[in-house]
Amino acid sequence: MRRIGIDVGGTNTDAVLIDGGSVRHAVKTATTADVLGGIRTALAELRDADGGAAADVQAVVIGTTHFTNAVIERRALQRVGALRIGLPASASLPPFVDWPEDLAALVGGVVAMVPGGHEYDGRPLVPLDHGAVRDAAKRMADAGLRSIAITAVFSPLTAACEIEAARIVREEIPHAALTLSHELGRIGLLERENVTLLNACLQDLAAHATAAFAAALAESGIAAPLYLTQNDGTIMHADLARRFPVYSFASGPTNSMRGAAFLSGLAEGVVVDVGGTTTDIGYLKGGFPREANAAVAIGGVRTLFRMPDLLSLGLGGGTEIAADGSRVGPRSVGFRLAEAALVFGGDTLTATDIAVAAGRVTLGDPRRVAALAPGFTAALLARMGAMIEEGVDRMKTEAGDVTLLAVGGGSFLIPDRVAGCDAVVRVAHHAVANAVGAAIAQASGEVDQVFTGLGRDAAIAAATAEAERRAVAAGAAAATLRLVEIEDIPLAYLPGEARRVRVRMIGDIGAPAGG
Amino acid sequence: MIRTIEREELDFLATGAWILGTGGGGSPYLSFLNMRRLYAGGVRVALLDPDALDDDEAVAVVSNMGAPLVGQERLADPDFATRPVRMMEAYLGRRFRAVMAVEIGGGNAFQPLLVAARTGLPVVDADAMGRAFPEAQMTSFAIAGLTCFPLTLADIRDNEVIVARADGWKWMERISRKVCTEVGSIAATCKAPRSGAEVKRHAILRTTTQAIRLGAAVHAARRRHDDPVAATLKAGDGKMVFRGKIADVQRRTTEGFLRGTARVEGLDDDRGSRFDLAFQNEFAVGWRDGAVAVTTPDLIAVLDSVSGEAVGTESLRYGQRVTVIALPAPPILRTPRGLDHVGPRAFGHDTDYVSLFGAADAGCAA
C-alpha cells in the first residue's frame, strides 16, 4: 500500500512516500506562513521525484502542529458559547474558571449553566431543563456565536443530556459547529469541559485548514483520500478530523515515536528524542505511545483527554554548560546553536561542544574545543547520560530492561549503554520520523468508563466491545482490530465494586472510507 | 487571636493540606479554585485562634463526604457546603460562633473556608484529625468520647437529612455513609456541633496554621531552588524515613476503601534497602527491610523527591522518585484510647504503634 505522510512543523514541512514497508522518497521544505505553500511544495517534489509513483497512492496523511500553535500563540481563535449541563451541581465553578485570563477573554462568548446531567451510576442528577437549554441557545444565537461547546456532568458515562441539548441548540442555530464533551474527554468535569471549549474555539480554523489541505492535494493531482493524524498515533478522515482539532495537539511527538517504531522495526521500547532544547521521553507499547493518565496543560489550560505520556527534560544539543562544569542547563541556546556554540564560532559552552570535544560526534570546528580536558568532558557526558537514564527509568511502569530508540538532532548525547536498557538503537533517517509516523497511521477506538455492579472480567469485556465498535466507526477494518491498551483501576468510596476501565483497539484503515 | 487569611495563603494551604492528607483526603484543587474566585471577588475569610472561643459558644464541624471520583464531576461549591450548617442551626435553634474542619488533610481543609466565605463566620484554627483518616470515628472527638450526634447532611437537590441519634460513632459512620451513597456518593455534612470548651480541650489545635506553614515552606524552597522535601521536614518537625523509587504498586477496593501496598527501592543513602507501605486511602504502616519502621497515627507522607509535591495513594506509579517522610501525630492520637481508634490495629495490621518521635505517652490525658 502506497501512502504519503506529511508533517507540518513550526519550522519544516517534511513529506515521505511509503511503499509497503519502506520509505521510497523523502523531502524537507520550509513551513510557509500560510502552511499551504510548504505542503504544496512538498507534494510537488514527491510527485516529480518519484516518476509518477505518487499518482496511485491510497492515502495522504497530514500531521500538523497548526492547531496547538494557534492556542499557544492566541491567534485565529473564535468566540464560543459554553453550555454546561449539571445544575444544581458545580454552579460556583463556571466554564473558563481556571483559564489564563487573556485566553478566556479571547474565547469566552456566552456562558450558560442549566439543570441536568447524570450520576456515576446512570441515574439522572435532575431532569434536563429543555427550556433553559433553548433560552441559552437563543442568547448564543443573538450574540452571533456559531461554535458551541456542550458539557454535561458524568457525560462520559451517560451522554443523553449532551445529545438532547445538541438537538435543541441546532434548532436555534442551524449551522452551528457543536462540540460535545463525551466525544472528547474523560471523567473530570473541568478538564473535560476545557478540552471541549478548546475544540470549539478552533472550529473555523480547522475547517479552513482542512479545506486548504484538500485544495493543495487536489492541485497536486494526487487523487487519494486525506486523513489527519491524532494524538494517539491513529488517523481520522479529514472530514471527521476537522471537527476534532484538539485530537491533533500532540501529533508531533506522537508521530515521531510512531515513525521511530516503524523505522527501527520495534514495537516495544522507550523513544528518547533529543532536540536542541529538550529531551522528550515516551514509551511505545505495541507500536503506540503510552497515554497520559493525568492532566496536561495546553496554552495554560488544564485538560484531560487522549494525550501521549511524555517526560520532557531540559537537555538538548543547545543546553548551556557552566564553564567550570558545575551546571548542566536548564538554559539552552536553542535554535541559535549554529551560531552560539563554541564549535560553530560562538562563545557559549554547550552540550554539543562537550560531545564534539569528547569525540562523540563531528560537528563544526573541533579545534575550538580542543582545550577542554578529557576528564572534564567525560564527567559531563556521564552526567548528561545519567539524566537520560533517570528519565527513562522514571517513565517505566514495570521493572525489567527495555530497548531505547534514539532519535533527534541531539541524540549523540545518548550513551551507547544506558542502565535499564538492553540496547540503544540509533534510528536511521530519524530526521523524517514524524512524516513516516503520519504515513503509517491506523484507526482506533477508545473507551474510558466507570463500571459498577459488574465483575472485573465482565466490565473489561463490555469496554472492549464498545472500543471495537468505535474503532470500526473511525474507519478500521474489523478483521484487523487488535487490543493495544487495557487498564482497570478500582475506585474508593463507591459501592458495587466500581472500577474505571480503559481499553483501546486499533486496526488498519478499511476500504478508503468516505474517500 | 483573629486574623485574615491572605490570598497567597490559599496556595500554601492547598499544598500543606495535601501533604497532611498522607496520601488520601482528596485533592484540594477544586475547593482552592472556589476560594481563589471568591477572593478575587473581594471576599476575605478570618482565622480564629481556638483560645478566643468562649466555653459555651457553638462551633460547626464540617466536611465534604464521598468518593473523590464523584467530586471531579460534581464540583465543590460554597452554597452546597453551607446548607448543612444552616440546617444544624435551625435544628438546634441557635447560631454558630465559628466553623471548623473535621479533617485538615486533603480537600476538607477548605470546607470551613467555603462556609466562612458564605456566612461570614470565622474559621477556627483547628480540626479533629490533624491529618486525614477514612472514617468518622477516627477523630479526636470520638477518642475523647464526645457525642456523635446530631449530624446534618445536604444533597444538591432538595434532600436534607438529619441523623438525630446514633448508637455510637461507628453507627453514625454507617448510617451517614449509606445516605451519602444514595444521593450520588457525595454530600456536604455538618457533624455533631462542639462547644468552645470541647474544641479547646479535644480538638487538634492550630492545624490550619500548620498546613499553611508547611505549604509556605515548600513554595519558598521552590522559589529559591532549594530542596522542598528538606523544607517540609524543617517546617513540620518531621523525619526523613526513606528515599527511593516506587518499584511496585498493588491496589484493590474492599468495603468502599482503596487498600493496597507499594514497594520503594532505596536510592542514595538507602540504596540496597527496600521500604514497603500499606494504605487504606491514607498510608497506614511502613516497613524497612521487613521490620515495622513507622505506623499510623504518625503522619506518613510520600513526596515527589524533586518537586516536594505530595503523592496520593491513587496516583502512586512505578518509577516515581519519592521520599517517605513522617510527621509527629498529635498527642491525643498517641494515647491508648487514641491508638484504639487510629492505631495500626484499627486498619487491620497486627502490629503495635511504632514511632520515630519517642514512645507513646501512656499516661498522657486526652
Side-chain angles (χ1 to χ4, degrees):
Chain A
M1 184 166 189
R2 284 208 178 112
R3 287 183 174 191
I4 288 174
I6 304 175
D7 174 64
V8 186
T11 315
N12 289 314
T13 296
D14 303 335
V16 294
L17 173 65
I18 299 267
D19 192 355
S22 61
V23 179
R24 280 280 293 266
H25 201 80
V27 299
K28 207 175 208 13
T29 74
T31 297
T32 53
D34 66 349
V35 180
L36 252 193
I39 297 178
R40 209 180 272 140
T41 309
L43 280 172
E45 271 195 44
L46 269 192
R47 186 192 53 209
D48 298 343
D50 214 73
D56 53 62
V57 279
Q58 283 94 354
V60 175
V61 185
I62 296 182
T64 177
T65 53
H66 201 47
F67 306 128
T68 331
N69 291 344
V71 172
I72 292 168
E73 295 161 18
R74 274 77 162 134
R75 62 172 166 77
L77 306 177
Q78 71 192 109
R79 259 179 216 294
V80 305
L83 178 61
R84 158 102 63 86
I85 304 164
L87 289 182
S90 315
S92 62
L93 297 175
F96 297 109
V97 68
D98 62 348
W99 281 45
E101 277 174 29
D102 64 328
L103 192 56
L106 214 54
V107 173
V110 173
V111 170
M113 296 193 279
V114 303
H118 281 85
E119 302 274 23
Y120 70 89
D121 58 4
R123 289 179 294 163
L125 194 62
V126 296
L128 176 67
D129 186 336
H130 292 73
V133 173
R134 194 169 297 279
D135 286 349
K138 284 191 167 127
R139 277 193 289 138
M140 289 169 184
D142 290 346
L145 301 174
R146 288 171 298 105
S147 182
I148 314 299
I150 304 177
T151 309
V153 168
F154 274 121
S155 67
L157 308 188
T158 316
C161 283
E162 289 184 358
I163 292 167
E164 177 61 9
R167 191 187 63 75
I168 298 169
V169 171
R170 199 171 292 291
E171 284 175 5
E172 298 298 328
I173 317 174
H175 300 293
L178 303 182
T179 306
L180 310 189
S181 84
H182 75 273
E183 295 184 297
L184 291 172
R186 300 190 178 136
I187 299 291
L189 180 71
L190 278 192
E191 292 84 359
R192 183 175 71 253
E193 181 174 69
N194 287 346
V195 176
T196 310
L197 293 166
L198 284 175
N199 194 71
C201 78
L202 289 164
Q203 289 299 303
D204 280 350
L205 182 65
H208 182 257
T210 43
F213 294 160
L217 186 59
E219 225 175 89
S220 73
I222 299 171
L226 177 66
Y227 296 86
L228 296 191
T229 69
Q230 305 180 80
N231 302 327
D232 65 353
T234 63
I235 57 181
M236 258 190 204
H237 192 269
D239 287 343
L240 189 59
R242 78 162 182 234
R243 290 183 51 218
F244 302 113
V246 292
Y247 273 156
S248 75
F249 276 176
S251 56
T254 295
N255 289 337
S256 153
M257 290 177 68
R258 293 267 301 148
F262 178 83
L263 292 166
S264 65
L266 296 169
E268 307 289 324
V270 56
V271 178
V272 180
D273 187 342
V274 188
T277 303
T278 60
T279 295
D280 288 332
I281 301 175
Y283 271 75
L284 280 170
K285 286 176 98 84
F288 284 86
R290 186 176 79 210
E291 285 183 22
N293 209 359
V296 175
I298 295 157
V301 179
R302 268 169 66 95
T303 66
L304 189 60
F305 69 127
R306 209 156 72 193
M307 291 286 274
D309 192 6
L310 293 173
L311 175 69
S312 241
L313 304 176
L315 178 67
T319 291
E320 295 177 20
I321 311 285
D324 62 356
S326 64
R327 202 169 32 74
V328 175
R331 286 169 57 99
S332 166
V333 297
F335 69 91
R336 295 190 303 110
L337 180 68
E339 53 197 74
L342 296 182
V343 290
F344 295 122
D347 53 10
T348 309
L349 180 61
T350 66
T352 297
D353 296 312
I354 301 295
V356 171
R360 197 59 96 67
V361 64
T362 311
L363 280 172
D365 182 359
R367 286 169 306 178
R368 290 182 49 87
V369 291
L372 297 175
F376 177 77
T377 57
L380 280 163
L381 279 180
R383 191 153 141 202
M384 292 187 267
M387 285 169 73
I388 291 168
E389 219 161 67
E390 177 167 337
V392 165
D393 195 54
R394 271 176 64 184
M395 290 289 284
K396 272 191 192 178
T397 51
E398 53 198 29
D401 282 356
V402 292
T403 302
L404 189 153
L405 283 68
V407 297
S411 56
F412 51 77
L413 293 176
I414 303 171
D416 284 327
R417 250 188 243 144
V418 174
C421 297
D422 51 23
V424 173
V425 175
R426 297 191 187 273
V427 179
H429 310 301
H430 62 68
V432 289
N434 287 27
V436 170
I440 60 163
Q442 297 162 296
S444 82
E446 193 199 56
V447 165
D448 183 356
Q449 194 169 322
V450 174
F451 293 86
T452 49
L454 292 179
R456 179 169 184 265
D457 294 345
I460 288 173
T464 305
E466 177 59 15
E468 283 175 1
R469 196 191 65 73
R470 290 183 188 179
V472 170
T480 64
L481 285 179
R482 67 194 171 88
L483 187 73
V484 283
E485 204 168 324
I486 186 158
E487 180 184 47
D488 75 297
I489 304 167
L491 301 166
Y493 286 125
L494 287 175
E497 219 197 323
R499 61 181 63 240
R500 176 181 159 197
V501 183
R502 183 144 72 101
V503 173
R504 202 157 64 90
M505 309 284 303
I506 59 130
D508 296 330
I509 49 173
Chain B
M1 298 306 258
I2 186 159
R3 69 172 189 86
T4 300
I5 297 176
E6 301 298 338
R7 164 67 187 82
E8 65 168 7
E9 289 180 303
L10 298 175
D11 293 87
F12 303 159
L13 179 59
T15 302
W18 190 219
I19 293 170
L20 295 177
T22 64
S27 163
Y29 178 69
L30 293 168
S31 297
F32 161 74
L33 270 189
N34 268 299
M35 289 311 300
R36 191 176 74 178
R37 190 169 150 78
L38 289 161
Y39 265 54
V43 171
R44 290 293 178 272
V45 166
L47 186 66
L48 180 72
D49 191 90
D51 282 347
L53 286 168
D54 285 343
D55 282 356
D56 58 356
E57 284 176 330
V59 175
V61 183
V62 296
S63 87
N64 189 43
M65 180 174 188
L69 176 105
V70 178
Q72 290 173 37
E73 286 286 320
R74 291 173 52 175
L75 313 179
D77 183 317
D79 291 327
F80 177 46
T82 303
R83 271 178 54 207
V85 176
R86 294 306 191 205
M87 283 171 68
M88 186 65 85
E89 286 185 330
Y91 181 70
L92 298 175
R94 68 179 292 197
R95 307 303 296 258
F96 285 115
R97 161 76 176 96
V99 58
M100 68 177 276
V102 74
E103 171 179 56
I104 192 68
N108 267 326
F110 278 89
Q111 194 77 356
L113 275 72
L114 295 177
V115 175
R118 277 290 179 263
T119 60
L121 294 175
V123 172
V124 182
D125 189 0
D127 77 314
M129 292 181 176
R131 45 169 296 165
F133 279 125
E135 295 183 82
Q137 75 277 6
M138 297 175 165
T139 64
S140 58
F141 297 146
I143 293 164
L146 304 184
T147 53
C148 66
F149 56 83
L151 174 143
T152 55
L153 181 153
D155 172 31
I156 44 163
R157 288 145 298 206
D158 210 7
N159 300 309
E160 298 187 342
V161 176
I162 298 171
V163 183
R165 290 188 78 84
D167 191 7
W169 288 91
K170 288 199 178 180
W171 272 107
M172 180 57 90
E173 165 66 22
R174 288 173 64 178
I175 294 167
S176 54
R177 185 71 62 188
K178 200 85 180 173
V179 176
C180 174
T181 301
E182 197 50 40
V183 298
S185 285
I186 200 156
T189 64
C190 182
K191 314 283 190 197
R194 305 273 71 117
S195 68
E198 286 173 331
V199 170
K200 284 182 279 186
R201 201 167 309 136
H202 301 297
I204 318 281
L205 303 180
R206 301 181 184 90
T207 47
T208 308
T209 295
Q210 184 199 4
I212 291 172
R213 195 173 60 229
L214 274 179
V218 172
H219 284 253
R222 279 189 203 144
R223 270 199 305 274
R224 291 191 311 263
H225 301 289
D226 281 351
D227 178 4
V229 175
T232 305
L233 292 173
K234 188 153 175 272
D237 296 320
K239 296 214 158 122
M240 227 265 271
V241 179
F242 198 80
R243 181 163 287 202
K245 69 162 189 162
I246 309 263
D248 189 37
V249 183
Q250 307 276 342
R251 293 187 185 91
R252 63 190 188 283
T253 45
T254 45
E255 298 145 42
F257 296 113
L258 181 69
R259 292 192 167 95
T261 54
R263 196 175 80 238
V264 189
E265 273 170 12
L267 289 173
D268 305 335
D269 292 347
D270 292 311
R271 196 171 284 277
S273 285
R274 63 180 265 188
F275 199 84
D276 293 284
L277 285 157
F279 54 84
Q280 176 180 330
N281 294 5
E282 290 80 31
F283 296 106
V285 180
W287 295 263
R288 186 192 186 97
D289 295 324
V292 177
V294 56
T295 74
T296 172
D298 281 354
L299 286 68
I300 307 169
V302 173
L303 308 181
D304 181 296
S305 293
V306 177
S307 71
E309 196 71 32
V311 181
T313 53
E314 289 189 310
S315 44
L316 289 168
R317 195 168 98 168
Y318 177 94
Q320 281 170 329
R321 266 28 187 205
V322 297
T323 304
V324 183
I325 66 163
L327 304 175
I332 186 173
L333 304 185
R334 294 162 55 95
T335 62
R337 269 190 66 86
L339 295 175
D340 282 348
H341 283 75
V342 297
R345 289 197 169 78
F347 296 88
H349 297 285
D350 188 20
T351 171
D352 289 329
Y353 171 44
V354 172
S355 178
L356 297 167
F357 305 97
D361 235 344
C364 174

